[in-house]
Amino acid sequence: MHEEREVVVLRYGHRPGRDDRMTTHVGLTARALGADRVVFPDNAGQSAETVRDITDRFGGPFAVELRGDQKAIVRDWAGVVVHLTMYGERVQDVEDEVRSAVNADDEDLLVVVGGEKVPWALYERADFNVGVTNQPHSEVAGLAVFLDRLFEGDELEREWTDADRRVVPEATGKTVVDAGDDVGDESGDAADESAD
Amino acid sequence: MHEEREVVVLRYGHRPGRDDRMTTHVGLTARALGADRVVFPDNAGQSAETVRDITDRFGGPFAVELRGDQKAIVRDWAGVVVHLTMYGERVQDVEDEVRSAVNADDEDLLVVVGGEKVPWALYERADFNVGVTNQPHSEVAGLAVFLDRLFEGDELEREWTDADRRVVPEATGKTVVDAGDDVGDESGDAADESAD
């Protein structure tokens, strides 16, 4: 998370239309929970646009890339590859090992999130196939829990740069201020900020 | 999580068609990460069917309900109400307090996940408005991180009853066995189990 090494989330496979929202949510979750970059398939331009727009407004650094060579990215990745899959080893059993592998040699980490069926070669290439439970649920949920555990919660403390606006956490309210401001209440104007 | 108290996830609002997958993923995430029950709006029948089907195959206990009275459920809830929202207090600041409120009096917990715009009354009724980051991302990701923190990872150890099948976690493979079996490899037959 903005250290020397880079944590990149790769969305593997995307069906335009059907997957737009899931792919967008993968990208926004990667950004919000500490990844440095997300890579979408090149047919996911609409999702890329949404994630870039949120980054422009709410800050970064966070990069969004469209690439057509998902297989090559995985095959040629120089660092550690984690593939999130319900068939993998239990996250609670391997998270320390993943963290050690990344930290020991300051290795970049590629986190692969499946969309359409992923090729068997990905299971073989991955240094870790990891299951956030071995139950069918949601690639977005799996990514979120994995990142929160990988960073041990530190990602929740990150600061954002180049933001236009900032939400002020509060017990009851919807307060958005200009980034940098500590006052000002645009309560009620913020309902359009959801990722929806 | 299957103690005397009940943890219920309420999906607030649903637009048929557009929200089907997100609502399904909210339900499957609730199931996989330790909630006892999910309540969908009564126009989300398709999502309910998917979550019930997964529960039939992969086990429970987990209940799915369709209800038309979302407002009343929140208003009349006898226990603790948590509303997940990017405008709320930071999860890392309030999670202990939420856990204490639930555990102290063995209170049932209602976790409200917004879909369409939620009414202001929900912010006021909630005992805790909680933000998993104050960034726009995904209600599924927020729910996943919240539940993992609420249960402190214990939800990953749960056992499933009345399952037809079970995934065997492994470093490289896709192994599904009949529930109860410890051998048998239906490798390759399992690709249709994703929540997709």
Side-chain angles (χ1 to χ4, degrees), chain B residues 5 18 45 51 54 62 72-73 94 99 150-151 168 181:
Chain B
R5 61 173 166 72
R18 175 161 167 76
V51 180
I54 293 285
F62 186 73
I73 294 170
V94 296
R99 210 179 294 112
L150 175 74
F151 295 126
V168 180
D181 274 15

Side-chain angles (χ1 to χ4, degrees), chain B residues 13-54:
Chain B
H14 173 80
R15 293 161 298 183
R18 175 161 167 76
D19 288 340
D20 287 347
R21 265 176 102 193
M22 294 313 300
T23 295
T24 299
H25 283 222
V26 165
L28 292 175
T29 298
R31 171 185 172 275
L33 295 178
D36 299 289
R37 184 156 57 101
V38 72
V39 180
F40 289 156
D42 53 9
N43 62 352
Q46 193 178 320
S47 294
E49 205 174 305
T50 303
V51 180
R52 285 182 186 133
D53 177 57
I54 293 285

Side-chain angles (χ1 to χ4, degrees), chain A residues 85-88 120 123 129, chain B residues 168 170-175 187:
Chain A
T85 162
M86 66 180 277
Y87 303 103
W120 179 246
Y123 287 82
N129 289 287
Chain B
V168 180
E170 59 190 347
T172 310
K174 290 167 75 166
T175 303
S187 186

Side-chain angles (χ1 to χ4, degrees), chain A residues 21-169:
Chain A
R21 265 177 104 194
M22 295 312 300
T23 296
T24 299
H25 282 222
V26 165
L28 293 175
T29 297
R31 172 185 171 276
L33 296 177
D36 299 290
R37 185 156 57 103
V38 72
V39 181
F40 289 156
D42 54 10
N43 62 353
Q46 193 179 320
S47 294
E49 205 174 307
T50 303
V51 180
R52 285 183 186 132
D53 177 56
I54 293 285
T55 303
D56 284 346
R57 290 191 284 153
F58 287 88
F62 185 73
V64 184
E65 268 188 274
L66 291 170
R67 298 266 298 263
D69 55 342
Q70 315 281 297
K71 278 188 192 178
I73 294 170
V74 174
R75 190 186 59 223
D76 302 337
W77 187 257
V80 176
V81 175
V82 165
H83 172 216
L84 298 179
T85 162
M86 66 180 277
Y87 303 103
E89 296 181 277
R90 308 188 320 159
V91 63
Q92 64 270 42
D93 295 340
V94 295
E95 61 184 297
D96 288 343
E97 212 182 323
V98 172
R99 211 178 293 112
S100 301
V102 171
N103 291 339
D105 308 309
D106 233 10
E107 294 261 29
D108 290 337
L109 173 63
L110 185 69
V111 182
V112 186
V113 177
E116 299 170 74
K117 282 183 193 180
V118 298
W120 179 246
L122 175 53
Y123 287 82
E124 294 182 316
R125 164 61 185 93
D127 298 293
F128 300 93
N129 289 287
V130 177
V132 174
T133 80
N134 297 100
Q135 298 292 320
H137 55 103
S138 170
E139 60 268 42
V140 174
L143 175 63
V145 169
F146 177 78
L147 291 175
D148 188 39
R149 285 172 170 255
L150 175 74
F151 295 125
E152 298 178 287
D154 288 348
E155 83 285 356
L156 301 178
E157 306 292 339
R158 78 164 279 187
E159 306 267 321
W160 300 91
T161 57
D162 294 325
D164 282 346
R165 65 196 75 185
R166 187 171 64 80
V167 169
V168 179

Side-chain angles (χ1 to χ4, degrees), chain B residues 38-174:
Chain B
V38 72
V39 180
F40 289 156
D42 53 9
N43 62 352
Q46 193 178 320
S47 294
E49 205 174 305
T50 303
V51 180
R52 285 182 186 133
D53 177 57
I54 293 285
T55 303
D56 283 348
R57 291 191 283 154
F58 287 87
F62 186 73
V64 184
E65 268 188 274
L66 290 171
R67 298 267 298 263
D69 55 343
Q70 315 283 296
K71 279 188 192 178
I73 294 170
V74 175
R75 190 187 56 224
D76 302 337
W77 188 258
V80 176
V81 175
V82 165
H83 171 217
L84 298 178
T85 162
M86 66 181 277
Y87 302 103
E89 294 181 279
R90 309 188 321 158
V91 63
Q92 65 269 44
D93 294 340
V94 296
E95 61 183 297
D96 287 344
E97 211 183 324
V98 171
R99 210 179 294 112
S100 302
V102 171
N103 291 340
D105 307 308
D106 234 8
E107 294 262 29
D108 290 338
L109 173 63
L110 184 70
V111 182
V112 185
V113 177
E116 299 169 74
K117 283 184 193 181
V118 298
W120 180 246
L122 174 53
Y123 287 82
E124 293 182 317
R125 164 63 185 91
D127 297 293
F128 301 93
N129 289 288
V130 177
V132 174
T133 80
N134 296 101
Q135 298 293 318
H137 54 103
S138 170
E139 60 268 43
V140 174
L143 176 64
V145 169
F146 177 78
L147 291 175
D148 188 40
R149 286 173 170 254
L150 175 74
F151 295 126
E152 298 179 286
D154 288 349
E155 83 285 357
L156 301 178
E157 305 292 340
R158 77 164 281 186
E159 307 266 322
W160 299 91
T161 56
D162 295 325
D164 282 346
R165 65 197 74 185
R166 186 171 64 80
V167 170
V168 180
E170 59 190 347
T172 310
K174 290 167 75 166

